[in-house]
Amino acid sequence: MNLADHPLLSSFAGRPVILDSNLLILDWCASFDGELIRSFKRLSSFEPRDALLLSEVMKLFPSLWTTPHILTEVSNLTNSLPSWRKDDWCKFYSEKVRLLPEIYTPSSEIVSDLSAVRFGLTDAALVRLAATHVVLTIDWPLTNLLESRGLAVINFTHLREAFLLS
C-alpha cells in the first residue's frame, strides 16, 4: 500500500507537520550519522528502518515546523553525544535550526491550558499547534490528549506497526 493512501496518513497529508523531540532527534541523527541509531542511547528505542519510515512519511507533508521548546529538548538530549562528535553535531544542528520554521508562543500563554501543562511545557505547546499542524509523536499520553480533543496527531508507533511489521 502507498503511504499516502494509508488511513493513518491520508487525512493528514498536505498539512504542515511538527515532530516531537524524539522523532526530530531520530530524523536529524539519521541524516548526520546513521550509525548513531545503533549507538546513541537517546535512540535506543529505534532501529535504522524507523529512520527510513520517518523519512518516507515526512515526504507526505509540505513543511516541517518546530517550536523553541522542541529545539531546546533536542539540544539538551543530544548533549550526551560522544565528545568526538560534538563539534560536528553542533555545526549540523545549527544549520538545521536555521532552515526550520519556528513557531513561538510565550510560555505564559501556553500554561493557560492546565490540563496540557501537566504533560510538560513542550507538549502543551504542541497541543496548541495541533489545531493547524499535524503532530507526529511517539508519546502515548500526548497522543491520547490530542485525540481526546479531536486534534491532528499521528503516533509513530502505529506507523511502525502498519508498515514495518507487515
Side-chain angles (χ1 to χ4, degrees):
M1 174 182 279
N2 183 338
L3 277 175
D5 296 332
H6 195 280
L8 290 173
L9 296 167
S10 60
S11 63
F12 299 118
R15 292 180 63 181
V17 68
I18 297 179
L19 299 180
D20 74 5
S21 303
N22 292 313
L23 291 175
L24 191 57
I25 291 171
L26 173 64
D27 185 53
W28 285 3
C29 282
S31 296
F32 174 69
D33 178 354
E35 287 303 310
L36 288 173
I37 297 169
R38 291 188 168 93
S39 62
F40 183 44
K41 69 180 178 179
R42 298 291 180 189
L43 297 175
S44 64
S45 63
F46 296 108
E47 297 180 21
R49 63 186 183 172
D50 292 322
L52 293 172
L53 175 60
L54 180 59
S55 175
E56 289 301 309
V57 168
M58 294 303 295
K59 292 175 184 176
L60 300 176
F61 300 99
S63 58
L64 171 63
W65 290 74
T66 196
T67 71
H69 311 292
I70 292 169
L71 292 175
T72 299
E73 283 192 8
V74 169
S75 176
N76 291 340
L77 293 171
T78 57
N79 198 37
S80 61
L81 280 167
S83 59
W84 61 275
R85 297 306 324 247
K86 284 259 179 100
D87 288 343
D88 290 337
W89 170 258
C90 288
K91 182 180 178 201
F92 176 86
Y93 176 83
S94 296
E95 290 169 1
K96 291 298 234 179
V97 168
R98 283 187 195 104
L99 297 173
L100 194 56
E102 192 174 343
I103 302 166
Y104 170 74
T105 305
S107 297
S108 59
E109 291 179 29
I110 294 169
V111 298
S112 65
D113 184 348
L114 294 177
S115 62
V117 170
R118 71 185 185 98
F119 294 95
L121 188 61
T122 301
D123 286 354
L126 289 174
V127 170
R128 289 179 63 93
L129 295 172
T132 55
H133 296 73
V134 178
V135 175
L136 185 54
T137 183
I138 60 167
D139 183 323
W140 286 108
L142 177 60
T143 299
N144 292 336
L145 176 64
L146 292 171
E147 284 180 344
S148 74
R149 294 183 179 190
L151 296 170
V153 62
I154 301 169
N155 192 294
F156 188 72
T157 303
H158 291 144
L159 296 176
R160 284 166 136 174
E161 292 168 357
F163 293 102
L164 298 178
L165 300 179
S166 58

